[in-house]
Amino acid sequence: MGLVMEEMYIEWGRQAREALEKPVPVSFNRVFRSVIVAGMGGSGIVGDVLSTLSSKYSSPPIVTVKNHLLPGFASKEDLLLVVSYSGNTVETLRVFDSALERNIPMVAVSSGGLLKTRAYEHGVPHIQLPEGLAPRASLPSMLYGVVKLLYENNLLNIPFEIVEESVSFLEEETGKAIAKAGVIAEWVDRSKGLLVISTHSPLESLGLRGKNEFNENAKIPVKVDVAPEWMHNDIVGYEAPFLKDFAILEVVDPGDKVGVMLVDFMRTVYARVTGSFHRLVLEGNSLLDKILYGSMVFGLSSCKLARIRGIDPLKTASIQEYKKAAGAIFGA
Ligand code: F6R
């Protein structure tokens, strides 16, 4: 792998632009009842981000599958996007194989691997991702490739200027994201508590992305709290927690008044157990800008925290350990 982890994030603007310039591999010229997005980890997050976008832009229902099971409802009426950066993730390949058996229309997205081979063997359109990246660092390639595919097939009604503007925004705001990431990494390191990402709907995907990034790059456990659902369960867990040390990283969209008020309320509850707070106010005009900006800050801050702790952000030894065992577990 030529690039160090931080460089992969810093080049996101270019990565997004290249993905957007590529022609889409297929025009279906038909309507689909739903779009199902299957993938794990850094590839699966694409489905979550699409769900967040579908809170604002019209689309058929978007269903995210982050396991090895193709939903029972899936039929020829639905479009399945199978996303795996490596193309070798056993759960994702299981979904692909089930969909082949059930004749479900598909598009595969990978940098290579068995998914690419099987897609070509079975005439399934394939979106080619650049090689040599960590899956989580290839988010723009995957996301822009899929957004363009859905847009051109009338499956995501996002104005295309918004998609294009988000690429320029990403290029222009990289410096700001680097600076903010440094501040967050130092704050998390000083806090030494359980990192809690506290955010509001429809930013579930961004909260989850933040968790995954701190897990994989900085090697720490993270909890994600999302209002308003948080007010109906998690909130009670802060009445008598076993843990004493929490670091609350608030993530807010400043254009969403209700969201900001919900996160402000959450702070009054956390304040009973901790005094450690930091707020990430998302930059950008569109929801897409904000998700990308937040994702870039999470990527860079988790790398920076890894460096402070003397850890290599790139290596994910435990995932590799699991992947070795997964073949036997799934009988592949
Ligand atoms: C992210 C990462 C993992 C993988 C996941 C699935 O960088 O390493 O979360 O994304 O293990 O693998 P792929 O993406 O190759 O299908």
Side-chain angles (χ1 to χ4, degrees), residues 36-59:
I36 306 168
V37 189
M40 306 300 291
S43 298
I45 200 77
V46 172
D48 299 298
V49 173
L50 289 173
S51 295
T52 293
L53 292 176
S54 74
S55 72
K56 186 163 177 68
Y57 306 108
S58 70
S59 72

Side-chain angles (χ1 to χ4, degrees), residues 40-43 83-87 89 92 134-137 216 316 319 323:
M40 306 300 291
S43 298
V83 189
S84 168
Y85 180 79
S86 63
T89 298
T92 314
R136 58 193 176 280
E216 292 182 63
T316 48
I319 298 180
K323 284 188 175 176

Side-chain angles (χ1 to χ4, degrees), residues 136 188 195 211-222 298-299 301-307 309 311-315:
R136 58 193 176 280
V188 179
L195 180 60
K211 179 194 84 64
N212 295 350
E213 291 292 76
F214 278 97
N215 294 155
E216 292 182 63
N217 291 333
K219 281 77 176 165
I220 57 169
V222 181
F298 284 141
S301 54
S302 53
C303 286
K304 173 88 189 196
L305 179 60
R307 301 285 179 207
R309 304 181 70 216
I311 288 169
D312 180 354
L314 181 58
K315 287 199 187 118

Side-chain angles (χ1 to χ4, degrees), residues 128-180:
Q128 177 68 45
L129 302 172
E131 291 170 31
L133 298 171
R136 58 193 176 280
S138 75
L139 177 66
S141 298
M142 298 189 276
L143 184 64
Y144 283 89
V146 164
V147 164
K148 187 171 178 183
L149 173 90
L150 294 181
Y151 172 80
E152 293 202 1
N153 281 283
N154 295 317
L155 294 166
L156 182 67
N157 192 14
I158 183 170
F160 210 66
E161 315 82 77
I162 287 196
V163 180
E164 287 170 329
E165 278 164 22
S166 70
V167 177
S168 315
F169 165 80
L170 208 51
E171 288 166 337
E172 283 155 20
E173 296 305 311
T174 301
K176 207 179 243 180
I178 295 171
K180 186 67 185 168

